[in-house]
Amino acid sequence: MGLELDNQAPRYVVGIDLGTTNSAVAFVDTAAKTWLVVDLATPQLVAPGQVEARETLPSFLYEATEAEAAGGALRMPWDADAPRFVVGAFARDQGAAVPGRLVVSAKSWLSHGGVDRTAALLPWHGAADVERVSPVEASRRYLAHIRAAWDNRFPSYPLAEQDVVLTVPASFDEVARELTVEAATSAGIARVVLLEEPQAAFYAWINAQGERWEKQVEAGQTILVCDIGGGTSDFTLIRVRRGDAGKIIFHRVAVGEHLILGGDNLDLALAHHVEQKLNEQGRAKLDPRQWGQLVRSCRVVKETLLGQDPGERAVINISAGGSRLIGGAIQIDVSRDEVEKLLVDGFLPNAEIDDRPLSRRSGFQEFGLPYAPDAAITRYLAAFLRAHGREGEHAARPDLILFNGGLFESPVLRARLLEVLGGWFQGEAWTPVVLDNDRLDLAVSRGAAYYGMVRRGFGVRISGGLAHSYYIGVEEAGHGQERKAICLLPAGVEEGQDVDLSGRRFDLLIRQPVEFPLYVSSTRTVDKPGALLAVDPEQMTALPPIRTVLQSGRQTAADTVTVNLHARLTEIGTLDLWCAEAQGDRKWRLQFDVRSAVRSDVAEHEGAGEAEGVVDEGTVARCDALIRASFARNENGNTDRPEGLVKRLEEATAMSRHEWPSTLMRGFWKTLMDVVAGRRLGENHEARWLNLTGFSLRPGYGLAVDDWRVAQNWRLFGAKVIHARNELCRAEWWILWRRIAGGLSLGQQQTLAEPLLAAMRSKVKKPATSAKIGPHELAEMLRVLGALEHLKLPMKVEIGDLLVELLGRERIAAIREAAMWAIGRLGARVPVYGPLNAMIGVDVVEGWAGALMQTKDVGQGGGFSLVQMTRMTGDRYRDVSGATREAVLQWLEKNGGNEHFAQLILKGGRLREQEQRSVFGESLPRGLRID
């Protein structure tokens, strides 16, 4: 292929496949007479002191011990100092023996909305002395290794100055795309363009065919790219069309939903099968270290028995653990037939074209990832093809198929998928053509490099733009609670393209908290911009909403502005939205808030609160007047007695306080914030104001813009208690923060905890010199500490250890119940709102449980705390040992535990209403429940 060099453009175009299991790099030297896509062999450690350049870089990050890193044994040629973190082949192989020091599947974690993806949480079940990293940081380290390897080979052309195409799964959402770019930028690779992996694989096929590709396709055909790697399953449809002057063009028309379902799941399934065989032989459930070894052994067995020229059987070896070094290994063999039956029939069953994926939760949750609920890849493929059939088609029938991803290295799995597809269209004159893809492990990086040249005007482009349609939620006058949405960006919009919805006008509230619900659909690909539609949960997936307060000028009063909407798809596939004043020049840019969207320390709003209903405006007005009368002086300089306010509100609403809907209570909160100065009127005023404010905003999440409300409350923290000499006021202060703790960020919780922890250290370690704190206030301080689920693990462990020590003291009856409650929350196996990565380890919790059982007079409260710490979840990394469970069950039997407590410990299950109140510390708002 000839090339005219643009002297202003970077010399090299580089494609990077940042894979779940392996990464790879390819490049084009644009200074060459004929441009070619070339693979870059990446230098990496394969053994201590031994560096080799290999075509792929395993996406594994290993933290070495000091002994392993001694003497520079792990140093790469470009390292000035001996590193502790190793990337690549040695990381993978050494980590198989020491799984507690190994980061795996960082790419899958990057798309996991259930955790804080920017938090240091990997290795998910790491050793106690391991420095954890975030999924973003792990991705950064892989890319930094690639950058260093490139710069070492091409010192005159650093990677930071070249054109880089970085691939992502087609189904990656906006958050995961933004985080991928963030990882690249922090690795020193700033010039990044994102490309979807299935498209990259198809570009690689085009490049490999040279001029022959036009003879293998014809207009009207449909191409299915089936890309299944270690972590995800991606389906893409490309139509072949006739363009200008009869030239063939490719148009990407559909992308499947994001599925964390791939080779890792097959490894887990085989490992569970092997463990069950061991259990049938009378062996105990494997401990986490042995389980990690087993999963990695099963990966090798899977690749062997489902690969080319497989044997009939394979043997799996697992160390027995403990002190037995000789004769302690566990051995079990598996046959090719049982592996095929388990994995081929389990993941690629002979489904029908009308089958739907099962909605039950996957049993494979032990790595903490939200795996697809159904293991049957073929059922997801059937649903995808049904959703994208052309007019008159029951389902899209592919004429050509391109396999990509490590799963299809197996001829057995390729053959099964073709067999299933053939069954779906067997009544038609149809035989699919399988496009040749000789290097599944390098196709994506090669295709990415080729696409870099397409961007410069060379080669063949796949058109198609945005694979999904995006919508914004609106309220339509006269339609009450019915949810509506406007199509903002339709499928097919190209990156960088603007969409102007000037045909519609909207009323926008400014200077008040507002929420903009966002939805995405991969199946509604024909909606037009500006179309007003009912929200269909089956076809529209809710994204984290944009929540903000739109400010304008120095005024403070709320105002309504008539605006037009204007949307844009950015170059990296994320959404920007502008609201432009229809009769003025004011404009507000609403950018997708990646930082809050990736955090699990901002509890997700699911709309449960609004579903409770809305109280009529007359009742709301009466309640507003009652609150103001209690905290604002009338013309005579008096107020109503605040002590009776709650009762007066119950009478006005004709409801118990426990029946108040959250929407009504958030209205109470707004009025209370308006009369916040009423705290100063007296001790009773402050105590009642603090009490009702916390009650109205509890648990700090559940309704739209609750995060904004909590932020307004947080401004009070610096003001402290006004009537600080009054213990009731001080106690109500702590109750307020305990009630809304679920809405506080990690930083806010740490700020809240630090003075409490300091006071607690003094109380436990130096009781004679500690400040005098009344028992009521101390009890509430302990409860606050127990409710802060976002705190970092070392702080939580210290709090728990101090509580255990405190429980061993005499004369603590007044705070015993609160201390036990706090221990139960800190050590709970199922958190109320916190992420699983903030959960305290099993060994610590077992120690606390043992100490609690040795404490006198713990009563029912202590029993329920033990239940929380030993409740069965089915996750071996969270669950305590069988011995601890048995000890707790015996303790409960002697101390009056009930039958449901025993069931929760033995089998798990949901909490009853009274148990939920016990976990939360009081009644929950209607519509909210704890698992």
Side-chain angles (χ1 to χ4, degrees), residues 9-15 159 161-165 191-192 452 456:
R11 173 170 173 171
Y12 290 97
V13 173
V14 184
L159 189 60
E161 298 175 8
Q162 311 311 306
D163 283 339
V164 177
V165 177
R191 302 170 62 106
V192 170
R456 295 198 183 189

Side-chain angles (χ1 to χ4, degrees), residues 471-592:
Y471 308 81
I472 188 168
V474 295
E475 294 180 7
E476 189 179 18
H479 284 73
Q481 299 274 320
E482 184 180 3
R483 292 187 297 166
K484 295 280 188 174
I486 297 283
C487 181
L488 272 181
L489 290 173
V493 169
E494 297 286 346
E495 286 82 357
Q497 184 176 340
D498 296 336
V499 175
D500 189 359
L501 304 184
S502 55
R504 286 191 177 274
R505 292 191 173 182
F506 305 86
D507 290 332
L508 178 68
L509 187 66
I510 63 174
R511 305 189 189 96
Q512 284 288 303
V514 289
E515 178 179 66
F516 298 87
L518 296 175
Y519 303 91
V520 63
S521 176
S522 61
T523 56
R524 302 183 65 99
T525 56
V526 296
D527 291 332
K528 301 299 183 185
L532 179 65
L533 308 157
V535 174
D536 182 354
E538 292 292 321
Q539 293 186 312
M540 297 178 180
T541 301
L543 292 171
I546 297 173
R547 298 170 182 154
T548 188
V549 177
L550 302 175
Q551 303 289 359
S552 180
R554 296 184 178 180
Q555 300 180 43
T556 58
D559 193 10
T560 301
V561 180
T562 301
V563 298
N564 295 319
L565 294 184
H566 178 80
R568 183 175 187 268
L569 183 66
T570 70
E571 292 292 337
I572 61 170
T574 60
L575 173 67
D576 282 357
L577 175 65
W578 284 267
C579 300
E581 188 175 16
Q583 303 298 328
D585 58 1
R586 288 181 293 179
K587 182 183 288 188
W588 294 269
R589 182 188 185 192
L590 306 174
Q591 192 168 25
F592 189 83

Side-chain angles (χ1 to χ4, degrees), residues 80-155:
D81 302 313
R84 288 288 299 276
F85 285 93
V86 183
V87 169
F90 176 73
R92 177 196 61 202
D93 299 341
Q94 184 67 8
V98 194
R101 311 188 73 84
L102 181 68
V103 173
V104 299
S105 302
K107 184 175 174 181
S108 295
W109 285 97
L110 206 60
S111 63
H112 185 353
V115 299
D116 180 353
R117 289 168 267 184
T118 62
L121 52 89
L122 300 176
W124 181 241
H125 299 293
D129 63 332
V130 166
E131 177 188 341
R132 284 172 167 78
V133 299
S134 71
V136 177
E137 173 62 15
S139 302
R140 184 199 72 80
R141 293 186 188 225
Y142 302 146
L143 291 168
H145 183 100
I146 289 170
R147 179 184 59 77
W150 174 278
D151 292 352
N152 189 62
R153 176 168 172 179
F154 302 103

Side-chain angles (χ1 to χ4, degrees), residues 190-358:
R191 302 170 62 106
V192 170
V193 172
L194 297 187
L195 175 66
E196 296 169 1
E197 288 163 4
Q199 285 195 63
F202 190 66
Y203 276 127
W205 177 81
I206 294 173
N207 179 58
Q209 299 308 305
E211 301 299 328
R212 303 188 305 276
W213 69 265
E214 288 189 86
K215 298 178 181 179
Q216 300 187 50
V217 297
E218 58 185 58
Q221 289 182 321
T222 298
I223 302 169
L224 168 65
V225 183
C226 197
D227 182 2
I228 305 178
T232 57
S233 291
D234 256 348
F235 307 126
T236 292
L237 285 181
I238 299 172
R239 307 277 192 209
V240 186
R241 293 175 177 166
R242 187 73 63 185
D244 297 337
K247 188 175 181 179
I248 288 290
I249 60 174
F250 298 108
H251 184 72
R252 195 280 317 282
V253 295
V255 167
E257 299 286 354
H258 184 65
L259 298 173
I260 299 185
L261 177 62
D264 291 350
N265 299 78
L266 275 69
D267 304 336
L268 279 171
L270 183 54
H272 277 284
H273 172 74
V274 171
E275 184 180 44
Q276 186 175 352
K277 292 179 68 172
L278 291 171
N279 292 341
E280 290 170 357
Q281 296 174 6
R283 292 187 178 272
K285 188 174 183 178
L286 299 178
D287 63 36
R289 182 188 58 79
Q290 293 172 314
W291 172 252
Q293 290 180 4
L294 174 60
V295 171
R296 286 158 184 78
S297 297
C298 285
R299 176 175 299 157
V300 175
V301 168
K302 173 198 70 178
E303 293 170 353
T304 301
L305 295 184
L306 297 183
Q308 297 282 357
D309 302 320
E312 290 298 321
R313 312 189 74 80
V315 177
I316 295 174
N317 292 287
I318 312 163
S319 66
S323 60
R324 296 181 62 194
L325 301 178
I326 300 174
I330 301 169
Q331 285 192 340
I332 188 166
D333 71 347
V334 291
S335 69
R336 186 178 69 197
D337 287 345
E338 69 178 301
V339 170
E340 286 191 6
K341 182 174 178 56
L342 176 73
L343 301 184
V344 180
D345 293 345
F347 288 86
L348 296 172
N350 278 303
E352 300 295 332
I353 189 63
D354 289 318
D355 284 355
R356 294 179 178 274
L358 303 177

